[in-house]
């Protein structure tokens, strides 16, 4: 993966905690974010998606079955493709799920009580930790598939824009693989820096190349 940053190049590399300390604890949990903070991350990355009642949920996937026990709790709520989508559940339902996944199965004794997290909770955690430690660890959210949300009648970009505006005390860098989403953040005047992510040259070319991304 290649990240093109709109920010000026620093003399020191930035350490970004992908999904929190996801190599040590289940991803996108408050525990994983806290450990990443303690390990010295400069920025902590939450992927974000919308629930049915428009809550920004920290989740890499659009679906829930990989990371929770949703199949056991709501076996009949899957779509025709056999998957359980975050966008089909209210937050009150999502927060009741047990965090699960291939890294936890068979060893749940060490991870009891972990649950999914709202973006607002994650940001509040960072603000509290920064206030306590005097550090300035930032947040680098990635809106997951804004085009999918748009097709489902939800505006993920606008929701994240509103959330970012409430983060008065955090450095914010928004990253996305979707050039159109970044253009919308630009048009909204969303505070913070922006990063375009791409994994293939055709993806970069479709975004207008380096000049297009720079603009």
């Amino acid at each position: 993966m290649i990240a093109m940053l709109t920010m000026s190049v620093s003399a020191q590399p930035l350490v970004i905690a992908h999904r929190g300390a996801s190599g040590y604890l289940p991803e996108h949990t408050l525990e994983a974010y806290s450990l990443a903070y303690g390990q010295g991350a400069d920025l902590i990355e939450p992927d974000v998606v919308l629930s049915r009642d428009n809550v920004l949920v920290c989740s890499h996937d659009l679906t829930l079955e990989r990371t929770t026990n949703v199949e056991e709790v709501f076996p009949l709520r899957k779509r025709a493709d056999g998957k359980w989508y975050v966008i089909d559940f209210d937050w009150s339902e999502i927060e009741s799920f047990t965090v699960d996944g291939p890294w936890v199965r068979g060893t749940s004794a060490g991870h009891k009580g972990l649950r999914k997290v709202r973006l607002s909770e994650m940001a509040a955690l960072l603000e509290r930790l920064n206030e306590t430690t005097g550090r300035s660890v930032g947040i680098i959210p990635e809106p997951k598939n804004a085009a999918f949300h748009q097709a489902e009648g939800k505006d993920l970009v606008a929701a994240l824009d509103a959330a970012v505006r409430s983060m008065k005390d955090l450095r914010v860098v928004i990253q996305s693989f979707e050039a159109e989403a970044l253009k919308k953040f630009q048009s909204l005047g969303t505070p913070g820096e922006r990063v375009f992510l791409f994994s293939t040259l055709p993806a970069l070319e479709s975004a207008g190349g380096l000049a297009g991304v720079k603009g």
Side-chain angles (χ1 to χ4, degrees), residues 26-211:
E27 65 189 50
H28 294 314
T29 58
L30 286 181
E31 290 77 7
Y33 296 140
S34 297
L35 180 57
Y37 191 101
Q39 289 176 329
D42 298 302
L43 295 168
I44 299 180
E45 186 250 10
D47 300 293
V48 291
V49 300
L50 278 172
S51 66
R52 182 169 59 185
D53 53 347
N54 298 311
V55 172
L56 285 166
V57 180
C58 297
S59 175
H60 174 269
D61 302 351
L62 295 174
T63 59
L64 291 158
E65 65 276 359
R66 182 179 69 88
T67 56
T68 75
N69 65 337
V70 63
E71 299 170 67
E72 300 170 15
V73 182
F74 292 105
L76 303 181
R77 292 273 291 277
K78 60 186 176 182
R79 290 195 179 187
D81 61 3
K83 298 180 179 180
W84 288 257
Y85 285 79
V86 176
I87 206 169
D88 293 334
F89 293 85
D90 291 333
W91 170 248
S92 61
E93 296 171 321
I94 295 169
E95 69 174 340
S96 71
F97 300 150
T98 299
V99 167
D100 203 349
W103 52 82
V104 183
R105 295 187 197 279
T107 59
S108 59
H111 303 294
K112 286 183 178 179
L114 302 194
R115 64 175 181 82
K116 301 293 282 186
V117 177
R118 292 171 292 179
L119 180 64
S120 59
E121 294 176 279
M122 187 268 190
L125 171 68
L126 291 188
E127 289 171 350
R128 290 195 304 272
L129 289 173
N130 281 341
E131 183 178 1
T132 300
T133 65
R135 295 173 62 197
S136 55
V137 175
I139 183 172
I140 180 165
E142 180 187 343
K144 298 302 290 190
N145 206 327
F148 165 84
H149 283 79
Q150 199 71 42
E152 294 284 326
K154 292 188 179 295
D155 194 334
L156 179 58
V157 170
L160 184 53
D161 170 75
V164 166
R165 292 178 187 278
S166 71
M167 299 176 190
K168 304 297 184 183
D169 300 318
L170 287 178
R171 177 187 181 183
V172 178
V173 181
I174 295 176
Q175 61 177 345
S176 179
F177 283 94
E178 297 174 278
E180 289 305 313
L182 291 175
K183 289 178 183 177
K184 185 168 182 179
F185 283 117
Q186 181 85 357
S187 67
L188 291 172
T190 306
E193 301 150 294
R194 282 172 287 279
V195 175
F196 177 59
L197 304 171
F198 64 97
S199 57
T200 66
L201 287 178
L204 175 61
E205 291 164 359
S206 67
L210 290 174

